Short mmCIF file of all heavy atoms in Angstrom, two decimals:
data_model
loop_
_atom_site.label_atom_id
_atom_site.label_comp_id
_atom_site.label_asym_id
_atom_site.label_seq_id
_atom_site.Cartn_x
_atom_site.Cartn_y
_atom_site.Cartn_z
N PRO A 50 3.82 41.19 -4.65
CA PRO A 50 4.30 42.55 -4.46
C PRO A 50 4.42 42.95 -3.00
O PRO A 50 5.33 43.69 -2.62
CB PRO A 50 3.24 43.40 -5.17
CG PRO A 50 2.60 42.45 -6.16
CD PRO A 50 2.63 41.12 -5.48
N ASP A 51 3.48 42.50 -2.15
CA ASP A 51 3.46 42.97 -0.77
C ASP A 51 4.49 42.27 0.10
O ASP A 51 4.96 42.79 1.09
CB ASP A 51 2.06 42.81 -0.16
CG ASP A 51 1.50 41.41 -0.38
OD1 ASP A 51 2.06 40.68 -1.21
OD2 ASP A 51 0.50 41.08 0.29
N HIS A 52 4.80 41.02 -0.22
CA HIS A 52 5.84 40.33 0.53
C HIS A 52 6.36 39.17 -0.30
O HIS A 52 5.65 38.60 -1.10
CB HIS A 52 5.31 39.83 1.88
CG HIS A 52 4.15 38.89 1.75
ND1 HIS A 52 2.87 39.34 1.52
CD2 HIS A 52 4.09 37.53 1.80
CE1 HIS A 52 2.05 38.29 1.45
NE2 HIS A 52 2.77 37.19 1.60
N ASP A 53 7.60 38.84 -0.07
CA ASP A 53 8.23 37.75 -0.80
C ASP A 53 8.10 36.45 -0.02
O ASP A 53 8.55 36.35 1.12
CB ASP A 53 9.71 38.05 -1.04
CG ASP A 53 9.89 39.19 -2.03
OD1 ASP A 53 8.93 39.43 -2.79
OD2 ASP A 53 10.95 39.83 -2.01
N VAL A 54 7.48 35.47 -0.66
CA VAL A 54 7.40 34.13 -0.07
C VAL A 54 7.89 33.15 -1.12
O VAL A 54 7.17 32.84 -2.07
CB VAL A 54 5.95 33.78 0.34
CG1 VAL A 54 5.92 32.38 0.95
CG2 VAL A 54 5.41 34.81 1.33
N PRO A 55 9.09 32.67 -1.03
CA PRO A 55 9.61 31.74 -2.05
C PRO A 55 8.89 30.39 -1.94
O PRO A 55 8.65 29.88 -0.85
CB PRO A 55 11.09 31.61 -1.69
CG PRO A 55 11.16 31.95 -0.23
CD PRO A 55 10.09 32.98 0.01
N ALA A 56 8.52 29.88 -3.08
CA ALA A 56 7.87 28.57 -3.13
C ALA A 56 8.45 27.79 -4.28
O ALA A 56 8.57 28.30 -5.39
CB ALA A 56 6.36 28.75 -3.30
N ARG A 57 8.81 26.55 -4.05
CA ARG A 57 9.42 25.75 -5.09
C ARG A 57 8.65 24.44 -5.25
O ARG A 57 8.16 23.87 -4.30
CB ARG A 57 10.89 25.46 -4.77
CG ARG A 57 11.71 26.74 -4.67
CD ARG A 57 13.19 26.47 -4.55
NE ARG A 57 13.93 27.72 -4.54
CZ ARG A 57 14.25 28.41 -5.61
NH1 ARG A 57 13.90 27.97 -6.80
NH2 ARG A 57 14.93 29.54 -5.51
N ALA A 58 8.56 23.97 -6.47
CA ALA A 58 7.85 22.73 -6.76
C ALA A 58 8.53 22.01 -7.88
O ALA A 58 9.23 22.62 -8.69
CB ALA A 58 6.39 23.04 -7.12
N SER A 59 8.33 20.74 -7.95
CA SER A 59 8.87 19.94 -9.05
C SER A 59 7.90 18.83 -9.38
O SER A 59 7.04 18.47 -8.58
CB SER A 59 10.24 19.36 -8.67
OG SER A 59 10.11 18.51 -7.56
N ARG A 60 8.02 18.32 -10.58
CA ARG A 60 7.14 17.25 -11.04
C ARG A 60 7.80 15.90 -10.79
O ARG A 60 8.98 15.71 -11.05
CB ARG A 60 6.85 17.43 -12.52
CG ARG A 60 5.95 16.36 -13.12
CD ARG A 60 5.69 16.62 -14.57
NE ARG A 60 4.96 17.87 -14.75
CZ ARG A 60 4.67 18.38 -15.94
NH1 ARG A 60 5.08 17.77 -17.05
NH2 ARG A 60 3.99 19.51 -16.04
N ARG A 61 6.97 14.93 -10.33
CA ARG A 61 7.50 13.61 -10.07
C ARG A 61 6.43 12.57 -10.39
O ARG A 61 5.27 12.74 -10.00
CB ARG A 61 7.92 13.46 -8.61
CG ARG A 61 8.60 12.12 -8.32
CD ARG A 61 9.17 12.08 -6.92
NE ARG A 61 9.90 10.86 -6.68
CZ ARG A 61 10.51 10.58 -5.53
NH1 ARG A 61 10.47 11.47 -4.53
NH2 ARG A 61 11.15 9.43 -5.38
N VAL A 62 6.79 11.56 -11.08
CA VAL A 62 5.86 10.49 -11.44
C VAL A 62 5.58 9.63 -10.21
O VAL A 62 6.51 9.20 -9.52
CB VAL A 62 6.43 9.62 -12.58
CG1 VAL A 62 5.48 8.45 -12.88
CG2 VAL A 62 6.65 10.46 -13.82
N VAL A 63 4.29 9.39 -9.96
CA VAL A 63 3.89 8.53 -8.84
C VAL A 63 3.59 7.15 -9.40
O VAL A 63 2.59 6.95 -10.09
CB VAL A 63 2.65 9.10 -8.12
CG1 VAL A 63 2.23 8.18 -6.97
CG2 VAL A 63 2.92 10.50 -7.61
N ASP A 64 4.47 6.19 -9.13
CA ASP A 64 4.26 4.82 -9.61
C ASP A 64 4.92 3.85 -8.63
O ASP A 64 5.29 4.22 -7.51
CB ASP A 64 4.80 4.65 -11.03
CG ASP A 64 6.28 4.99 -11.14
OD1 ASP A 64 6.95 5.03 -10.09
OD2 ASP A 64 6.76 5.22 -12.26
N GLN A 65 5.10 2.60 -9.07
CA GLN A 65 5.63 1.57 -8.19
C GLN A 65 7.08 1.79 -7.81
O GLN A 65 7.62 1.10 -6.93
CB GLN A 65 5.49 0.19 -8.88
CG GLN A 65 4.05 -0.25 -9.10
CD GLN A 65 3.32 -0.47 -7.79
OE1 GLN A 65 3.89 -0.97 -6.84
NE2 GLN A 65 2.07 -0.05 -7.74
N SER A 66 7.73 2.72 -8.47
CA SER A 66 9.13 2.97 -8.14
C SER A 66 9.29 3.69 -6.80
O SER A 66 10.36 3.70 -6.21
CB SER A 66 9.80 3.81 -9.24
OG SER A 66 9.21 5.11 -9.32
N LEU A 67 8.20 4.31 -6.33
CA LEU A 67 8.24 4.99 -5.03
C LEU A 67 8.20 3.95 -3.91
O LEU A 67 7.35 3.07 -3.90
CB LEU A 67 7.07 5.94 -4.89
CG LEU A 67 7.11 7.22 -5.72
CD1 LEU A 67 5.82 8.01 -5.53
CD2 LEU A 67 8.31 8.07 -5.35
N ALA A 68 9.08 4.07 -2.98
CA ALA A 68 9.12 3.14 -1.85
C ALA A 68 8.01 3.49 -0.85
O ALA A 68 7.58 4.63 -0.74
CB ALA A 68 10.49 3.21 -1.17
N ASP A 69 7.54 2.46 -0.14
CA ASP A 69 6.56 2.70 0.92
C ASP A 69 7.18 3.57 2.00
O ASP A 69 8.37 3.44 2.33
CB ASP A 69 6.12 1.38 1.56
CG ASP A 69 5.26 0.54 0.63
OD1 ASP A 69 4.69 1.12 -0.31
OD2 ASP A 69 5.18 -0.68 0.84
N ASP A 70 6.34 4.46 2.55
CA ASP A 70 6.80 5.28 3.65
C ASP A 70 6.60 4.50 4.95
O ASP A 70 5.47 4.16 5.30
CB ASP A 70 6.01 6.59 3.71
CG ASP A 70 6.44 7.45 4.89
OD1 ASP A 70 7.58 7.92 4.89
OD2 ASP A 70 5.61 7.62 5.81
N PRO A 71 7.64 4.17 5.68
CA PRO A 71 7.52 3.32 6.88
C PRO A 71 6.57 3.88 7.92
O PRO A 71 5.81 3.13 8.54
CB PRO A 71 8.96 3.25 7.41
CG PRO A 71 9.82 3.55 6.23
CD PRO A 71 9.03 4.55 5.41
N ARG A 72 6.59 5.18 8.11
CA ARG A 72 5.73 5.77 9.14
C ARG A 72 4.26 5.66 8.76
O ARG A 72 3.40 5.37 9.58
CB ARG A 72 6.13 7.23 9.37
CG ARG A 72 7.47 7.39 10.09
CD ARG A 72 7.91 8.83 10.14
NE ARG A 72 8.15 9.35 8.80
CZ ARG A 72 8.53 10.60 8.54
NH1 ARG A 72 8.72 11.44 9.54
NH2 ARG A 72 8.74 10.99 7.30
N THR A 73 3.97 5.91 7.48
CA THR A 73 2.59 5.79 7.02
C THR A 73 2.11 4.34 7.10
O THR A 73 0.99 4.05 7.53
CB THR A 73 2.46 6.28 5.57
OG1 THR A 73 2.91 7.63 5.49
CG2 THR A 73 1.01 6.20 5.10
N THR A 74 2.97 3.40 6.70
CA THR A 74 2.63 1.98 6.77
C THR A 74 2.32 1.57 8.19
O THR A 74 1.39 0.79 8.45
CB THR A 74 3.79 1.13 6.20
OG1 THR A 74 4.03 1.51 4.85
CG2 THR A 74 3.46 -0.34 6.27
N GLU A 75 3.08 2.08 9.14
CA GLU A 75 2.88 1.75 10.56
C GLU A 75 1.52 2.27 11.04
O GLU A 75 0.81 1.59 11.79
CB GLU A 75 4.01 2.34 11.40
CG GLU A 75 3.90 2.01 12.88
CD GLU A 75 5.04 2.64 13.68
OE1 GLU A 75 5.93 3.29 13.07
OE2 GLU A 75 5.03 2.49 14.91
N VAL A 76 1.15 3.46 10.61
CA VAL A 76 -0.11 4.06 11.06
C VAL A 76 -1.31 3.26 10.56
O VAL A 76 -2.26 3.01 11.31
CB VAL A 76 -0.21 5.52 10.58
CG1 VAL A 76 -1.62 6.06 10.79
CG2 VAL A 76 0.80 6.40 11.32
N ILE A 77 -1.27 2.85 9.29
CA ILE A 77 -2.44 2.19 8.71
C ILE A 77 -2.48 0.69 8.97
O ILE A 77 -3.51 0.05 8.74
CB ILE A 77 -2.51 2.43 7.19
CG1 ILE A 77 -1.35 1.75 6.47
CG2 ILE A 77 -2.57 3.92 6.88
CD1 ILE A 77 -1.43 1.87 4.97
N ALA A 78 -1.38 0.14 9.49
CA ALA A 78 -1.31 -1.32 9.68
C ALA A 78 -2.43 -1.83 10.58
O ALA A 78 -2.98 -2.92 10.37
CB ALA A 78 0.05 -1.70 10.25
N ALA A 79 -2.79 -1.05 11.60
CA ALA A 79 -3.81 -1.49 12.55
C ALA A 79 -5.19 -1.59 11.92
O ALA A 79 -6.07 -2.27 12.46
CB ALA A 79 -3.85 -0.52 13.73
N TYR A 80 -5.38 -0.94 10.78
CA TYR A 80 -6.71 -0.90 10.15
C TYR A 80 -6.84 -1.84 8.95
O TYR A 80 -7.94 -2.09 8.48
CB TYR A 80 -7.03 0.52 9.71
CG TYR A 80 -6.93 1.53 10.84
CD1 TYR A 80 -5.78 2.30 11.01
CD2 TYR A 80 -7.98 1.69 11.74
CE1 TYR A 80 -5.68 3.22 12.05
CE2 TYR A 80 -7.88 2.60 12.79
CZ TYR A 80 -6.73 3.36 12.93
OH TYR A 80 -6.63 4.25 13.96
N VAL A 81 -5.74 -2.36 8.47
CA VAL A 81 -5.77 -3.17 7.25
C VAL A 81 -6.65 -4.40 7.43
O VAL A 81 -7.51 -4.71 6.60
CB VAL A 81 -4.35 -3.57 6.83
CG1 VAL A 81 -4.40 -4.61 5.71
CG2 VAL A 81 -3.56 -2.35 6.39
N ALA A 82 -6.46 -5.13 8.52
CA ALA A 82 -7.23 -6.36 8.75
C ALA A 82 -8.72 -6.06 8.88
O ALA A 82 -9.57 -6.81 8.38
CB ALA A 82 -6.72 -7.06 9.99
N LYS A 83 -9.04 -4.94 9.53
CA LYS A 83 -10.45 -4.58 9.72
C LYS A 83 -11.12 -4.24 8.39
O LYS A 83 -12.27 -4.60 8.16
CB LYS A 83 -10.56 -3.40 10.69
CG LYS A 83 -10.13 -3.73 12.11
CD LYS A 83 -10.26 -2.53 13.02
CE LYS A 83 -9.82 -2.87 14.44
NZ LYS A 83 -9.94 -1.69 15.35
N VAL A 84 -10.40 -3.55 7.54
CA VAL A 84 -10.94 -3.20 6.23
C VAL A 84 -11.14 -4.45 5.39
O VAL A 84 -12.17 -4.62 4.72
CB VAL A 84 -10.03 -2.19 5.50
CG1 VAL A 84 -10.48 -1.98 4.07
CG2 VAL A 84 -10.01 -0.86 6.26
N ARG A 85 -10.16 -5.35 5.42
CA ARG A 85 -10.28 -6.59 4.65
C ARG A 85 -11.44 -7.44 5.15
O ARG A 85 -12.09 -8.15 4.38
CB ARG A 85 -8.98 -7.36 4.71
CG ARG A 85 -7.85 -6.71 3.90
CD ARG A 85 -6.55 -7.45 4.07
NE ARG A 85 -5.49 -6.83 3.25
CZ ARG A 85 -4.19 -7.09 3.38
NH1 ARG A 85 -3.79 -7.95 4.30
NH2 ARG A 85 -3.31 -6.49 2.59
N ALA A 86 -11.70 -7.40 6.46
CA ALA A 86 -12.78 -8.21 7.04
C ALA A 86 -14.15 -7.79 6.50
O ALA A 86 -15.08 -8.59 6.48
CB ALA A 86 -12.76 -8.09 8.56
N LEU A 87 -14.27 -6.55 6.07
CA LEU A 87 -15.55 -6.08 5.54
C LEU A 87 -15.92 -6.78 4.23
O LEU A 87 -17.10 -6.84 3.87
CB LEU A 87 -15.50 -4.57 5.31
CG LEU A 87 -15.37 -3.69 6.56
CD1 LEU A 87 -15.20 -2.24 6.15
CD2 LEU A 87 -16.58 -3.85 7.47
N ASP A 88 -14.94 -7.31 3.53
CA ASP A 88 -15.19 -7.95 2.24
C ASP A 88 -15.40 -9.46 2.35
O ASP A 88 -15.54 -10.14 1.33
CB ASP A 88 -14.04 -7.66 1.26
CG ASP A 88 -14.10 -6.25 0.72
OD1 ASP A 88 -15.21 -5.76 0.47
OD2 ASP A 88 -13.04 -5.63 0.55
N VAL A 89 -15.46 -9.98 3.56
CA VAL A 89 -15.69 -11.41 3.75
C VAL A 89 -17.14 -11.75 3.37
O VAL A 89 -18.08 -11.10 3.83
CB VAL A 89 -15.41 -11.83 5.20
CG1 VAL A 89 -15.82 -13.28 5.44
CG2 VAL A 89 -13.94 -11.62 5.54
N VAL A 90 -17.31 -12.76 2.54
CA VAL A 90 -18.65 -13.22 2.14
C VAL A 90 -19.24 -14.07 3.26
O VAL A 90 -18.60 -15.02 3.72
CB VAL A 90 -18.59 -14.03 0.83
CG1 VAL A 90 -19.96 -14.57 0.47
CG2 VAL A 90 -18.03 -13.18 -0.29
N ILE A 91 -20.45 -13.73 3.70
CA ILE A 91 -21.07 -14.47 4.81
C ILE A 91 -22.38 -15.15 4.41
O ILE A 91 -23.01 -15.82 5.22
CB ILE A 91 -21.33 -13.54 6.01
CG1 ILE A 91 -22.14 -12.31 5.59
CG2 ILE A 91 -20.02 -13.12 6.66
CD1 ILE A 91 -22.52 -11.40 6.75
N GLY A 92 -22.79 -14.99 3.16
CA GLY A 92 -24.02 -15.65 2.72
C GLY A 92 -24.34 -15.28 1.29
O GLY A 92 -23.63 -14.49 0.65
N THR A 93 -25.42 -15.86 0.80
CA THR A 93 -25.89 -15.58 -0.56
C THR A 93 -27.35 -15.19 -0.50
O THR A 93 -28.19 -15.93 0.04
CB THR A 93 -25.72 -16.81 -1.47
OG1 THR A 93 -24.33 -17.18 -1.49
CG2 THR A 93 -26.15 -16.49 -2.89
N LEU A 94 -27.66 -14.04 -1.04
CA LEU A 94 -29.03 -13.52 -1.03
C LEU A 94 -29.77 -14.04 -2.26
O LEU A 94 -29.30 -13.88 -3.39
CB LEU A 94 -28.98 -11.99 -1.03
CG LEU A 94 -30.28 -11.24 -0.77
CD1 LEU A 94 -30.83 -11.56 0.61
CD2 LEU A 94 -30.04 -9.74 -0.90
N ALA A 95 -30.93 -14.65 -2.02
CA ALA A 95 -31.68 -15.27 -3.12
C ALA A 95 -32.43 -14.24 -3.95
O ALA A 95 -32.51 -14.35 -5.18
CB ALA A 95 -32.66 -16.31 -2.57
N ASP A 96 -33.00 -13.24 -3.30
CA ASP A 96 -33.81 -12.24 -4.00
C ASP A 96 -33.38 -10.84 -3.57
O ASP A 96 -32.80 -10.65 -2.50
CB ASP A 96 -35.30 -12.43 -3.68
CG ASP A 96 -35.80 -13.82 -4.04
OD1 ASP A 96 -35.65 -14.22 -5.20
OD2 ASP A 96 -36.31 -14.51 -3.14
N GLU A 97 -33.72 -9.87 -4.37
CA GLU A 97 -33.41 -8.48 -4.04
C GLU A 97 -34.17 -8.04 -2.79
O GLU A 97 -35.34 -8.36 -2.61
CB GLU A 97 -33.79 -7.57 -5.20
CG GLU A 97 -33.49 -6.09 -4.93
CD GLU A 97 -34.00 -5.16 -6.01
OE1 GLU A 97 -35.13 -5.39 -6.49
OE2 GLU A 97 -33.28 -4.22 -6.36
N LEU A 98 -33.48 -7.33 -1.94
CA LEU A 98 -34.12 -6.68 -0.79
C LEU A 98 -34.29 -5.21 -1.14
O LEU A 98 -33.34 -4.54 -1.54
CB LEU A 98 -33.26 -6.83 0.46
CG LEU A 98 -33.03 -8.26 0.97
CD1 LEU A 98 -32.14 -8.25 2.19
CD2 LEU A 98 -34.35 -8.95 1.26
N LYS A 99 -35.51 -4.71 -0.98
CA LYS A 99 -35.80 -3.35 -1.38
C LYS A 99 -36.59 -2.63 -0.29
O LYS A 99 -37.55 -3.16 0.25
CB LYS A 99 -36.60 -3.35 -2.69
CG LYS A 99 -36.83 -1.98 -3.28
CD LYS A 99 -37.53 -2.08 -4.63
CE LYS A 99 -37.73 -0.71 -5.26
NZ LYS A 99 -38.39 -0.81 -6.58
N LYS A 100 -36.16 -1.41 -0.01
CA LYS A 100 -36.85 -0.57 0.97
C LYS A 100 -37.88 0.28 0.24
O LYS A 100 -37.53 1.14 -0.57
CB LYS A 100 -35.83 0.32 1.70
CG LYS A 100 -36.43 1.30 2.67
CD LYS A 100 -35.32 2.15 3.29
CE LYS A 100 -35.87 3.29 4.12
NZ LYS A 100 -34.80 4.14 4.69
N SER A 101 -39.16 0.06 0.56
CA SER A 101 -40.21 0.82 -0.11
C SER A 101 -41.53 0.64 0.61
O SER A 101 -41.78 -0.41 1.21
CB SER A 101 -40.37 0.37 -1.57
OG SER A 101 -40.77 -0.97 -1.63
#
Side-chain angles (χ1 to χ4, degrees):
D51 50 346
H52 58 281
D53 291 338
V54 180
R57 299 188 177 278
S59 62
R60 179 179 296 176
R61 185 172 185 180
V62 176
V63 179
D64 58 18
Q65 295 296 321
S66 65
L67 288 176
D69 290 338
D70 178 66
R72 289 173 296 179
T73 303
T74 301
E75 182 181 358
V76 169
I77 66 176
Y80 305 98
V81 170
K83 294 180 180 180
V84 172
R85 289 176 178 166
L87 294 175
D88 284 323
V89 173
V90 177
I91 54 175
T93 301
L94 191 62
D96 303 304
E97 180 186 41
L98 297 179
K99 187 175 182 179
K100 176 182 171 182
S101 63

